[in-house]
Amino acid sequence: MNCEVCQLKELEVGHLEFEIREVLRCILHTILFHRALGLVRPKDVDLELFEITYVQCGDLEIEKKIDEKIEQFISWVEKHPNKKSQICLSFYEVKNKQAFLFTHKIERLYWEQWYINLNVSQLPRTHSGKSHRSKVVVDPGAMIIESSMEESSARRAALEASLRDVLFQIIKFVNEKKDHVPPIPNREGVVSYPYEITIPSSSDSAFGMDVFKRMLQTGHPTMLS
Amino acid sequence: MEQIITEFFAKSLQIILESRSPYMSSRNYSGEQAVSSPSSSSSSSSSVRPRDKWFNLALRECPAALDNIDLWRQSNLDPMVVDVILVQRPVDFDPVSFSPKRNSVRNLSLKERYPMFVNSDQEEFGCEEKSEKIIERWIVQYESRMSRDTCHGSSRRMSNSTLYKKTILLLRSLYVTVRLFPAYKLYHDLNSSSQIRPFTLTHRVSSFVEPFTRQEEREMQKFVFTPVDTSCGRLCLSVLYHSSVSDISSEPSTPLSPQVITDYVGSPLADPLKRFPSVPVPGSASHGSPSFSPFVRRHSWSFDLNRASQPFTSFSPSPTHSEPHATNSNPSSRRFPPSSLPPHPPETSSMHKKDPNFDEYFPSPFSASPSPSASPSPPIRIPGSHLSNALLRSESAPVGIPTAKLANSPAFKQNLPPSPPLKSSKSSTSRSDKSTGVTHSGTPNEKLRQCSGLKLSSNNSPRVSFSRSSSRSFPDDFDESDFACAFDVEVEDITDPGSRPESFEQNVPLCDPLEPGGGSYATRKSADAAVGALVLMLRKAPPLRQDFSKSVANSSGVPRVETWGDSNTVLDSNQISEGLVPVQHVASSSVMASGLVTSKTTADALEELQGYRDLKNFLLSQGSKSHI
């Protein structure tokens, strides 16, 4: 099977914990809802930031895992501000590899990868308390404050539109590419396919290593059954 | 496979209607038999409640979907068209709801503001004017291939599990997509908001519909889900939707709570005895009821009503004031009908009707300018009754009292001259008190304003503020207040809307003899009472002072002070309260007054003021010792 990769549109997110969390939750849950093909009781969640309602599987395990990863990501962003980052949600199949490069290793066959591209930027003027504003010149004056508020709302509006685009992007991808999805395993639970969420690691180079490792783990097409 | 397709129709209908039909739907779950899913993908481990677990999407029962699906259970070859319709009228609304029917016309904002009046009209109007608009059209269709051979041939290739998996995926994306279209927002608002909305959503499920016109199609956008190929055909799902329904839902609906009227003083109709001083209050004119300063709203006047009988003697000063004033002021004369005039209806206390109000309450001396004493001059005793009448008529004592005072004034005037010295001292005191309050004059329509200014000015100095604040103290010392009223009457008489400063000036001398009290005997008595009232007012000076000081500061002040001085001997608290309101007007009018004053120089006025102040102090000391 090929590994289908979907690069989602880049989102300009402000350096606001709440904003990052909301956006990531929305995207991750939406993707997982399309991929957790076990019996689900869908749960509608209204975003607080925007007028967007997304759907969760209603599974606590998934929710917990997603929140954990988001918190890790936020800590990473704190250490690496003003950077473009990627979160990868991968679905794989577990194959017991008997012989190959990594013998006696449980091989993961990734059949789908979603890349969530975020550009976490420092907000202009005085906004979040977390941002490092050493370079921001706080100009006293109502006009400046007003313009910053306008900028903020414009930025939010742009983010909402982008988020909608991303959600539709997910929907289209799910619709167009169905053949690569493995058969639904006959197992209990909501989660049909194992998945993992990868956040950027401490060093940039390591990220590349992760990708390389994944490529190796994917295995040779001939090895696939 | 057939079953999968049939259930696909049912499920897609349920998903769509569940998120488009408010008030009905999955909220009202009533247990449904569990439908066993195909074995390949069934995982009915959940044993909580029987739900439709088809496609691994456990949704609650949707009666709307159940009602409509029968046709497609029989034959899944017909397309299923689900129209989501926006109906812009309160279909399910309460007849007594205040929400106006919001038509496509959308010119009901006015009616929204006055729901009480238009509710009944609106209802009928709305029923006729409902507008329906299809905002979404979902089309679920199974396109079967014509060739049966192909069908049989390919059926092997596509296993049911694969088909099921794909339909599951399709329905999952449908579930998510349905919540991203604009119509969902309307549904969400309808379901979640407690406000009554002027629109609702309905649906229509059919297998054949009229296609949209070209223009309609142009307005709509299309979203097509990737068809799921089956062995014999393909399942297609698409939607035409309006991307701009937000303008409908964003219109604010009528709030359930009525609007709060700020500065509500009370309808004049509610309390006929209540009189709202027709003082022009900048900015407050917009309110339906005359809104005045809190001073006005205090019910000191109601207390005055109770004491209507007493103030007889206190009105004596007024005649003295009124007479010269009346002679001098022509415009004012028109405004003051005879004291025996019936009470002006409270409704007329609007600002623009100040003149008539004034006329009512400031009779005769002004109206009969040539002979102020004559016209308003019933005997002193009568003025008392007039006073009570005036008091009864008006909530604001200052307004009512002047009537009686005016009535008294003629008689009083006669009495006044005999005791100029004493009176002058007292009156000068009060005059000075009032003089400070007399900041405005000259404008015909601003008798009340003048009084207000009077009050304000009185607040400027301790003695003045005393008179103004006496409204609060009114209930405590009615005796004094009587006289204060008398003084007020004089003041008002003098501060005739049309009166010019000259008239005030002339009133000044009147102030001297204008001791509280009517006749000679009354004069003495009223003098004491007036002093007491004056003292009281001064003691209880409210922060009007500050207001007044502003207004006084604005105005040139001195001449006006002087002109008002005599009339300001004892300021009625109500007058003060009235005066509190139009501070700005006072300031402006005082400026005008000052402009009009030409006869006296500033220096003269200052000297006079000083004299009055001394007199006031003297009176105060006397008052504190004497019985009040």
Side-chain angles (χ1 to χ4, degrees):
Chain A
M1 278 190 183
N2 290 333
C3 179
E4 296 285 352
V5 176
C6 181
Q7 289 278 356
L8 294 175
K9 179 182 161 181
E10 186 175 85
L11 293 171
E12 300 279 341
V13 187
H15 195 141
L16 292 164
E17 200 177 304
F18 180 66
E19 204 167 279
I20 297 169
R21 198 177 286 123
E22 287 267 275
V23 165
L24 283 178
R25 269 203 194 130
C26 177
I27 296 172
L28 288 169
H29 274 287
T30 301
I31 297 171
L32 276 169
F33 180 71
H34 286 104
R35 290 290 178 256
L37 302 185
L39 181 68
V40 295
R41 280 189 184 77
K43 181 171 129 186
D44 293 349
V45 177
D46 299 326
L47 277 183
E48 291 175 34
L49 271 180
F50 312 117
E51 281 184 344
I52 293 176
T53 302
Y54 69 95
V55 187
Q56 287 185 3
C57 296
D59 185 73
L60 287 171
E61 280 294 322
I62 293 178
E63 210 172 321
K64 191 174 153 192
K65 195 164 174 186
I66 286 177
D67 287 344
E68 266 175 25
K69 284 292 174 180
I70 290 175
E71 293 308 314
Q72 287 176 22
F73 176 74
I74 287 172
S75 333
W76 181 88
V77 165
E78 293 292 327
K79 293 172 200 159
H80 303 84
N82 261 343
K83 269 192 173 175
K84 296 198 179 192
S85 49
Q86 234 180 18
I87 295 173
C88 182
L89 171 57
S90 324
F91 295 94
Y92 58 90
E93 279 185 295
V94 178
K95 297 281 178 192
N96 282 321
K97 297 283 309 171
Q98 288 197 2
F100 196 56
L101 191 56
F102 309 103
T103 52
H104 310 297
K105 200 161 183 177
I106 292 173
E107 189 181 331
R108 286 181 174 182
L109 275 164
Y110 292 91
W111 51 270
E112 193 172 79
Q113 281 170 334
W114 299 80
Y115 288 98
I116 304 166
N117 296 296
L118 295 179
N119 189 7
V120 183
S121 55
Q122 296 284 351
L123 295 170
R125 314 291 178 194
T126 58
H127 274 280
S128 142
K130 294 194 174 216
S131 55
H132 308 285
R133 281 184 299 271
S134 56
K135 42 186 179 174
V136 174
V137 177
V138 179
D139 204 332
M143 272 181 58
I144 301 297
I145 295 169
E146 274 177 19
S147 69
S148 71
M149 283 170 66
E150 284 171 11
E151 287 170 19
S152 161
S153 58
R155 187 190 62 79
R156 284 263 171 93
L159 179 57
E160 181 175 353
S162 298
L163 184 57
R164 274 186 193 272
D165 290 343
V166 164
L167 294 177
F168 273 103
Q169 202 181 352
I170 295 169
I171 292 165
K172 282 182 187 152
F173 186 88
V174 166
N175 270 272
E176 286 161 11
K177 307 232 159 83
K178 296 191 184 98
D179 295 330
H180 68 288
V181 181
I184 302 173
N186 208 355
R187 53 192 257 184
E188 304 279 319
V190 170
V191 178
S192 308
Y193 314 106
Y195 66 96
E196 70 173 359
I197 302 171
T198 316
I199 58 172
S201 51
S202 304
S203 61
D204 284 338
S205 60
F207 187 71
M209 278 303 294
D210 289 341
V211 174
F212 180 66
K213 260 208 270 184
R214 204 169 291 121
M215 277 170 58
L216 289 172
Q217 286 173 356
T218 303
H220 200 270
T222 57
M223 298 305 297
L224 299 174
S225 57
Chain B
M1 188 193 79
E2 293 278 334
Q3 197 182 17
I4 291 175
I5 293 170
T6 307
E7 292 303 326
F8 178 83
F9 273 80
K11 202 72 172 186
S12 54
L13 182 64
Q14 186 176 357
I15 291 170
I16 294 166
L17 292 184
E18 193 186 48
S19 61
R20 293 290 184 272
S21 295
Y23 322 124
M24 53 163 70
S25 71
S26 47
R27 306 284 186 259
N28 312 318
Y29 174 66
S30 59
E32 190 199 52
Q33 305 168 6
V35 179
S36 62
S37 327
S39 57
S40 62
S41 53
S42 77
S43 51
S44 19
S45 55
S46 65
S47 56
V48 182
R49 275 191 299 248
R51 287 195 191 194
D52 178 7
K53 299 195 188 87
W54 268 96
F55 306 101
N56 281 345
L57 208 52
L59 301 178
R60 289 199 180 94
E61 182 184 302
C62 180
L66 291 174
D67 293 341
N68 286 292
I69 201 56
D70 297 334
L71 174 65
W72 287 275
R73 289 203 182 273
Q74 297 160 15
S75 159
N76 52 24
L77 293 176
D78 293 328
M80 182 171 74
V81 182
V82 184
D83 286 337
V84 179
I85 301 154
L86 177 71
V87 179
Q88 286 183 294
R89 70 176 167 90
V91 178
D92 300 325
F93 294 155
D94 199 345
V96 296
S97 82
F98 288 135
S99 64
K101 279 44 170 185
R102 202 176 298 251
N103 301 331
S104 50
V105 180
R106 303 213 187 150
N107 56 357
L108 304 176
S109 56
L110 267 180
K111 294 173 184 173
E112 287 170 37
R113 284 186 215 124
Y114 306 103
M116 294 299 297
F117 303 128
V118 301
N119 193 23
S120 55
D121 296 335
Q122 283 299 327
E123 243 186 304
E124 293 156 1
F125 180 65
C127 287
E128 298 164 1
E129 290 281 335
K130 72 174 183 182
S131 77
E132 293 187 349
K133 187 174 182 178
I134 298 175
I135 54 173
E136 273 182 1
R137 175 168 281 175
W138 299 83
I139 300 166
V140 187
Q141 195 168 13
Y142 177 61
E143 295 170 1
S144 72
R145 290 194 201 106
M146 301 309 289
S147 156
R148 287 197 183 180
D149 296 333
T150 321
C151 201
H152 289 304
S154 58
S155 61
R156 307 274 181 263
R157 283 181 239 149
M158 169 86 60
S159 67
N160 277 347
S161 59
T162 309
L163 172 63
Y164 196 59
K165 174 190 82 179
K166 291 189 177 180
T167 51
I168 287 176
L169 288 168
L170 176 57
L171 288 171
R172 295 275 171 117
S173 66
L174 171 64
Y175 195 90
V176 170
T177 311
V178 137
R179 278 148 181 79
L180 291 176
F181 285 138
Y184 182 75
K185 184 178 178 302
L186 298 177
Y187 161 80
H188 197 265
D189 289 346
L190 282 170
N191 254 4
S192 59
S193 169
S194 59
Q195 284 188 345
I196 297 174
R197 301 276 178 178
F199 60 87
T200 188
L201 288 175
T202 64
H203 61 274
R204 190 163 50 218
V205 184
S206 55
S207 69
F208 176 76
V209 286
E210 269 185 23
F212 287 125
T213 64
R214 283 216 186 135
Q215 188 185 353
E216 284 170 338
E217 274 201 35
R218 258 183 261 127
E219 292 170 8
M220 300 180 99
Q221 290 178 286
K222 190 165 188 178
F223 186 84
V224 178
F225 293 86
T226 306
V228 173
D229 287 323
T230 68
S231 47
C232 296
R234 58 181 203 165
L235 271 170
C236 301
L237 183 56
S238 63
V239 59
L240 279 163
Y241 66 99
H242 267 282
S243 52
S244 58
V245 293
S246 55
D247 58 342
I248 298 163
S249 61
S250 62
E251 290 181 22
S253 57
T254 309
L256 291 175
S257 63
Q259 292 195 348
V260 177
I261 302 173
T262 57
D263 287 345
Y264 182 68
V265 181
S267 163
L269 298 169
D271 185 2
L273 292 183
K274 210 172 176 183
R275 185 191 187 278
F276 297 103
S278 54
V279 182
V281 181
S284 64
S286 58
H287 296 297
S289 59
S291 58
F292 303 95
S293 69
F295 282 83
V296 176
R297 295 191 196 130
R298 280 178 289 101
H299 297 282
S300 55
W301 46 79
S302 57
F303 187 87
D304 293 338
L305 291 175
N306 299 330
R307 309 283 188 112
S309 56
Q310 294 190 25
F312 179 82
T313 55
S314 64
F315 299 142
S316 52
S318 53
T320 49
H321 288 278
S322 61
E323 180 172 339
H325 181 68
T327 50
N328 292 320
S329 60
N330 295 324
S332 57
S333 61
R334 335 181 222 104
R335 306 183 187 287
F336 301 97
S339 55
S340 54
L341 262 184
H344 212 280
E347 292 87 332
T348 60
S349 63
S350 59
M351 294 198 319
H352 59 275
K353 291 185 182 175
K354 281 192 331 287
D355 289 345
N357 289 334
F358 251 101
D359 290 347
E360 173 194 350
Y361 293 106
F362 297 95
S364 60
F366 296 93
S367 54
S369 56
S371 58
S373 57
S375 51
S377 59
I380 288 178
R381 281 169 180 67
I382 295 176
S385 63
H386 282 282
L387 172 64
S388 55
N389 288 341
L391 287 171
L392 289 165
R393 277 181 285 173
S394 156
E395 223 180 45
S396 59
V399 183
I401 291 170
T403 311
K405 290 179 186 174
L406 288 172
N408 288 327
S409 64
F412 186 74
K413 281 179 215 164
Q414 302 160 9
N415 298 318
L416 286 176
S419 58
L422 178 61
K423 290 174 187 175
S424 64
S425 67
K426 289 184 186 174
S427 60
S428 65
T429 304
S430 59
R431 211 180 315 158
S432 55
D433 296 344
K434 293 181 183 179
S435 61
T436 56
V438 182
T439 53
H440 55 255
S441 63
T443 44
N445 293 339
E446 296 176 6
K447 186 170 185 184
L448 277 177
R449 265 186 244 140
Q450 291 166 351
C451 291
S452 315
L454 189 66
K455 301 167 192 174
L456 292 168
S457 59
S458 63
N459 289 326
N460 200 17
S461 62
R463 43 176 196 268
V464 175
S465 57
F466 147 76
S467 60
R468 290 300 171 201
S469 59
S470 64
S471 58
R472 291 192 186 119
S473 60
F474 237 101
D476 301 331
D477 299 277
F478 188 76
D479 288 341
E480 288 82 5
S481 65
D482 294 344
F483 298 108
C485 296
F487 282 112
D488 287 341
V489 173
E490 288 182 341
V491 175
E492 289 175 347
D493 295 345
I494 294 164
T495 63
D496 187 15
S499 64
R500 277 154 304 209
E502 296 89 347
S503 60
F504 295 135
E505 293 168 15
Q506 299 195 8
N507 290 331
V508 171
L510 285 179
C511 281
D512 295 340
L514 185 63
E515 291 300 336
S520 54
Y521 70 93
T523 304
R524 280 176 231 125
K525 211 173 170 187
S526 62
D528 290 340
V531 169
L534 185 62
V535 170
L536 259 164
M537 281 195 278
L538 288 169
R539 280 179 190 160
K540 296 174 188 178
L544 267 182
R545 209 176 297 189
Q546 301 151 10
D547 295 337
F548 176 75
S549 56
K550 287 181 201 170
S551 62
V552 170
N554 292 336
S555 58
S556 57
V558 178
R560 294 184 302 275
V561 167
E562 180 183 12
T563 57
W564 279 98
D566 51 357
S567 55
N568 283 351
T569 49
V570 179
L571 293 174
D572 187 83
S573 59
N574 296 321
Q575 288 179 338
I576 295 172
S577 58
E578 289 178 1
L580 284 179
V581 177
V583 177
Q584 299 177 15
H585 279 268
V586 169
S588 57
S589 54
S590 62
V591 173
M592 290 168 59
S594 59
L596 291 170
V597 174
T598 53
S599 58
K600 284 202 179 180
T601 64
T602 302
D604 294 341
L606 279 168
E607 281 176 52
E608 210 168 351
L609 174 63
Q610 189 56 41
Y612 295 149
R613 282 187 181 151
D614 296 338
L615 187 59
K616 178 213 99 179
N617 293 333
F618 169 71
L619 283 173
L620 272 172
S621 57
Q622 277 191 343
S624 56
K625 296 171 198 167
S626 63
H627 163 70
I628 294 180

